[in-house]
Amino acid sequence: MIAAVLQRLVQMAFVMFGISVLVFLIFFATPGADPAARLAGRNASPETVQQIRHEFGFDRPLPVQYAIMMKKLFITQDLTSFVNRGEKVVPEILAAAPATLSLVAGAALLWVLGGLFVGVISAATRGSWLDRSLMILALIGISMPVFWLASMANLVTQSAYHDSWAFSWVPELGYTPLTKNPLRWFQGLVIPWLTLATLYVGIYGRVLRANLIETLQEDYIRTARAKGLSETRVLLRHGLRTSLAAFVTMFGLDFGSLVGGAALLTEVLFGINGVGRLTYIALGNLDLPMILASVMYASFFVVGANAVVDILYAVIDPRVRKE
Amino acid sequence: MPAPLLDVSGLRVSFAADGGRSTAIQDVSFNVGAGEVLSIVGESGSGKTLSLLSVLGLIDRRTTFVEGRALFNGRDLFTLPPRELRRIRGAGIALISQDPMTALTPVFTIGDQIAEQILAHEKVSRRAARARAVDLLREVGIPSPEEAVRRFPHQLSGGMRQRAVIAMALSCNPALLIADEPTTALDVTVQAQVLDLLRRLRRDHGSSIVLITHDMGVVAEMADRVMVMYAGRVVEGGTVREIFEDPWHPYSWGLMNSIPPVRGAKPARLVSIPGTPPTPQDIPPGCAFAPRCRLRRPACAAPPPRQEAGGHQALCLIEAAERPGLRAGLWTAEGTAA
Ligand SMILES: Nc1ncnc2c1ncn2[C@@H]1O[C@H](COP(=O)(O)OP(=O)(O)OP(=O)(O)O)[C@@H](O)[C@H]1O
Ligand SMILES: [Mg+2]
């Protein structure tokens, strides 16, 4: 088991190396464009471009350029944004990460619980009105665009009903660090959490329902019933555990990409200074160092989350474990 | 005569099909006495599994309709509240289901799954249940049972899995064991061991057994009574002696002819019944076997009468006096055809 985990981690390191090479090549080895000029951003003076060319080694062979870039990203962490007048991008991303992590982790907890609830209840009562209404609700959740839902949530909780007893506790938009004021952190994130989780509760609930219903046709479910177990036990112990594969896979991908910055709409609309919002701003003013760093950061999260998923598989299903 | 342990009468099972219902099981009645082995035989799709799963309520109630009566120890399983039914499942009536490869939950160890059944029915400690699981595995002949309890189903061979399934079925000393083709998936030596095991179970615990099988050899070896099913109906029933020495129904004759003779010259090839059994949707209104029957008559288009003598019964209009001649004629006809 431990050997398998180690093997997976080594594999992960290789994948990350591959990604870093690929990202580097896409950004700096595309023919016909001067990487130094691109790094410098719009309206940079020729001197700046010249200085960047020298500093990043763009007059030297590609492997050297790659090594310098990686050193600046991971070792000295002094890759600077030229658009933003010398802001160091790595510390900036690291500073933004807790906000994103807070947003995504809380939403993830909600959508996992919500998805399990919807999926299990629907599968257990399949064909009933309860199942049908839950599925319709899930479909509504899936089809509401995040930006619309977030704007509506803001409209209701920040302006229209902000003074009513129901929403007066909602603080102004923005993120308060957990370490600074835990209550405020929580209050500020409740609405963003709910907004972000809505879509995923719908998707996860529907997928889990389908998988559970399929599992319930299996012979071993019949065996479990023939043993005299209660219906709840059959469903939760024998059915659910073997139906979680798709659920876990999706969770790994979604969680990884959201932490990596895919929650940018939610972050922007709720004024949370997270990684997604940083990327969004960087894209707006072609801040290449920032874009580079945030792409790397995002891909590492996706790869990492997938490795965790593989390990989770082994925990859930003994058939996956290597002897 | 004491009341039978399980008494099923007028069982009818139908499925919701597009635009109506298709009836898969029609008018099936049988009973199993204490300590008795009843064997159910018939081709694939004749409804053997479905009848017994319906008795245990293990079918999907949303799509399957079960009518009739199934008395177990005098209580009707079809009207019992779910709680009471659960108490009988696993403890009073245990099921060894058809395919050992898929009958166990893949993510739990063998020991877990056996202990779970014991704990569902008896107030014993987890540790005691676990110890009993080890004993049971030893009893069914699994080598090093202390280790086998910690194994997952996929780590055992087919034969070992089947034994584990049997061990689980035996765990609460059921009064009735339903064994659905317990040996089909196994090779010959393991088959013999499993049959031995079932025999021992009956001898040591006095359990009754319903043994579903395709294999007439197994029937001859194990059963007290036999029920022959075809297209969801009981076409013939009686003691093993009656069925083997004096079968009444042309379908049973076909089944008998498919057994290789133990002594004497072997026929050039085993004679099988031509054609395939009907699916529930296209069972003919008269005799279900008529389309495949060499002795078909115009009268077979009407529902056949049930003939009875003592405990022996058959669903066919051929009279007792005609049988020997017709059956012999069938042999010669097939002899020339071969
Ligand atoms: N859920 C279902 N819906 C529709 N038809 C079904 C369903 N379950 C079983 N049947 C049909 O009922 C008939 C009886 O099936 P059953 O499994 O009892 O046969 P069997 O005698 O056990 O065959 P085998 O020897 O292959 O196990 C078959 O024709 C099958 O197609
Ligand atoms: Mg069957």
Side-chain angles (χ1 to χ4, degrees):
Chain A
M1 183 76 190
I2 292 172
V5 171
L6 279 180
Q7 191 190 352
R8 190 68 187 77
L9 292 178
V10 171
Q11 203 184 336
M12 186 173 89
F14 272 104
V15 173
M16 287 182 171
F17 170 71
I19 290 177
S20 69
V21 171
L22 212 65
V23 170
F24 170 79
L25 290 177
I26 291 170
F27 276 69
F28 300 110
T30 32
D34 177 7
R38 288 219 261 158
L39 264 180
R42 277 176 295 215
N43 312 325
S45 65
E47 296 85 62
T48 319
V49 173
Q50 191 54 42
Q51 184 214 329
I52 289 173
R53 182 167 299 132
H54 182 70
E55 192 190 332
F56 285 80
F58 287 129
D59 41 8
R60 293 156 76 186
L62 271 180
V64 179
Q65 296 177 22
Y66 171 79
I68 292 175
M69 190 62 76
M70 290 306 122
K71 188 181 114 218
K72 280 181 172 299
L73 265 176
F74 295 110
I75 299 168
T76 53
Q77 305 193 343
D78 59 354
L79 183 65
T80 48
S81 156
F82 298 93
V83 179
N84 262 342
R85 277 154 285 143
E87 191 81 42
K88 290 199 171 133
V89 300
V90 177
E92 205 172 342
I93 287 184
L94 292 182
T100 300
L101 211 57
S102 299
L103 170 67
V104 177
L109 185 70
L110 282 181
W111 93 58
V112 165
L113 294 180
L116 283 173
F117 178 82
V118 170
V120 169
I121 299 285
S122 293
T125 63
R126 62 191 171 285
S128 70
W129 62 266
L130 181 61
D131 171 33
R132 255 174 256 141
S133 0
L134 278 174
M135 282 306 100
I136 290 172
L137 282 177
L139 204 59
I140 293 173
I142 294 171
S143 34
M144 277 190 300
V146 167
F147 62 85
W148 180 82
L149 190 59
S151 313
M152 291 314 281
N154 277 339
L155 188 71
V156 171
T157 62
Q158 294 291 339
S159 37
Y161 295 100
H162 184 69
D163 297 326
S164 74
W165 57 270
F167 297 114
S168 54
W169 56 269
V170 180
E172 276 170 44
L173 293 184
Y175 172 74
T176 317
L178 177 63
T179 46
K180 212 167 126 198
N181 184 346
L183 180 66
R184 199 54 193 262
W185 170 84
F186 182 81
Q187 287 176 331
L189 280 168
V190 169
I191 303 295
W193 281 337
L194 289 172
T195 307
L196 184 57
T198 302
L199 162 73
Y200 295 100
V201 170
I203 299 178
Y204 283 56
R206 289 181 71 97
V207 168
L208 182 61
R209 173 185 183 273
N211 285 323
L212 249 179
I213 287 178
E214 200 180 308
T215 302
L216 291 180
Q217 313 295 323
E218 296 280 349
D219 278 356
Y220 55 78
I221 296 295
R222 192 165 67 212
T223 307
R225 290 205 176 106
K227 280 159 79 170
L229 306 183
S230 72
E231 200 53 28
T232 322
R233 192 174 173 92
V234 170
L235 188 74
L236 294 183
R237 199 172 126 88
H238 290 263
L240 188 58
R241 172 90 171 262
T242 47
S243 311
L244 283 178
F247 197 90
V248 170
T249 310
M250 292 196 315
F251 183 77
L253 291 173
D254 290 336
F255 187 82
S257 64
L258 284 176
V259 173
L264 71 92
L265 281 178
T266 316
E267 289 181 9
V268 169
L269 283 157
F270 289 107
I272 297 170
N273 287 316
V275 179
R277 192 158 176 273
L278 272 188
T279 317
Y280 171 77
I281 296 167
L283 283 169
N285 48 25
L286 288 178
D287 185 354
L288 198 59
M290 181 57 95
I291 297 174
L292 172 72
S294 53
V295 167
M296 288 297 238
Y297 160 91
S299 57
F300 283 9
F301 259 103
V302 174
V303 172
N306 271 305
V308 172
V309 163
D310 283 355
I311 293 166
L312 266 184
Y313 273 156
V315 173
I316 292 177
D317 192 340
R319 285 168 299 182
V320 180
R321 283 173 218 164
K322 291 207 187 87
E323 291 298 289
Chain B
M1 183 184 140
L5 185 62
L6 177 69
D7 183 2
V8 176
S9 54
L11 180 68
R12 177 188 161 98
V13 181
S14 46
F15 298 109
D18 31 18
R21 285 193 188 180
S22 73
T23 303
I25 303 288
Q26 177 92 278
D27 194 22
V28 164
S29 304
F30 61 91
N31 57 62
V32 192
E36 191 177 42
V37 177
L38 169 72
S39 200
I40 304 184
V41 297
E43 276 167 292
S44 194
S46 52
K48 308 183 292 294
T49 303
L50 185 60
S51 338
L52 284 144
L53 290 183
S54 309
V55 166
L56 280 174
L58 292 172
I59 31 71
D60 186 351
R61 286 176 204 278
R62 272 168 267 253
T63 55
T64 315
F65 305 93
V66 178
E67 294 151 73
R69 213 182 47 166
L71 300 180
F72 178 71
N73 278 333
R75 301 207 289 167
D76 189 354
L77 299 176
F78 294 161
T79 55
L80 229 46
R83 233 189 131 70
E84 298 289 309
L85 183 58
R86 278 208 299 277
R87 218 166 272 163
I88 291 177
R89 284 183 193 159
I93 308 178
L95 173 74
I96 300 173
S97 71
Q98 192 157 356
D99 186 354
M101 302 314 274
T102 55
L104 294 166
T105 308
V107 297
F108 301 120
T109 61
I110 305 295
D112 268 353
Q113 300 193 46
I114 297 178
E116 185 182 33
Q117 174 160 355
I118 297 171
L119 291 169
H121 294 288
E122 292 170 30
K123 286 196 163 42
V124 293
S125 71
R126 192 157 275 281
R127 180 184 299 251
R130 196 74 182 189
R132 192 139 116 221
V134 175
D135 291 342
L136 284 160
L137 290 178
R138 186 175 299 119
E139 198 177 322
V140 298
I142 289 187
S144 55
E146 292 84 3
E147 206 174 301
V149 284
R150 288 199 300 271
R151 294 236 172 274
F152 290 100
H154 72 278
Q155 296 168 321
L156 299 181
S157 69
M160 289 301 135
R161 269 192 231 187
Q162 183 64 294
R163 285 162 195 241
V165 170
I166 295 176
M168 190 157 81
L170 304 186
S171 62
C172 297
N173 290 321
L176 174 65
L177 185 69
I178 296 174
D180 193 352
E181 308 195 21
T183 59
T184 311
L186 309 175
D187 64 49
V188 185
T189 43
V190 185
Q191 270 187 28
Q193 290 167 355
V194 167
L195 292 180
D196 253 1
L197 196 68
L198 293 181
R199 258 193 296 260
R200 263 210 339 259
L201 170 75
R202 164 153 77 145
R203 198 186 55 216
D204 298 348
H205 299 287
S207 302
S208 313
I209 301 176
V210 173
L211 181 67
I212 300 177
T213 180
H214 290 273
D215 187 338
M216 294 306 282
V218 171
V219 176
E221 229 180 292
M222 299 286 299
D224 299 317
R225 284 191 303 124
V226 183
M227 178 167 114
V228 181
M229 286 193 70
Y230 184 80
R233 293 156 171 81
V234 181
V235 292
E236 182 160 2
T239 62
V240 197
R241 237 197 140 85
E242 285 162 345
I243 302 290
F244 276 80
E245 287 175 6
D246 178 28
W248 289 356
H249 198 283
Y251 180 65
S252 311
W253 298 348
L255 283 182
M256 292 304 154
N257 293 352
S258 66
I259 318 171
V262 182
R263 281 178 292 267
K266 298 216 156 116
R269 61 183 187 88
L270 291 177
V271 187
S272 62
I273 308 165
T276 48
T279 57
Q281 291 79 33
D282 47 38
I283 295 173
C287 172
F289 184 59
R292 294 171 74 193
C293 185
R294 285 166 196 268
L295 305 167
R296 181 176 54 243
R297 308 167 179 182
C300 293
R306 188 169 289 282
Q307 306 202 33
E308 290 194 70
H312 195 174
Q313 44 129 340
L315 202 60
C316 183
L317 49 69
I318 295 175
E319 301 282 338
E322 307 171 86
R323 281 181 206 129
L326 287 172
R327 193 173 179 208
L330 209 57
W331 269 113
T332 52
E334 274 159 4
T336 51

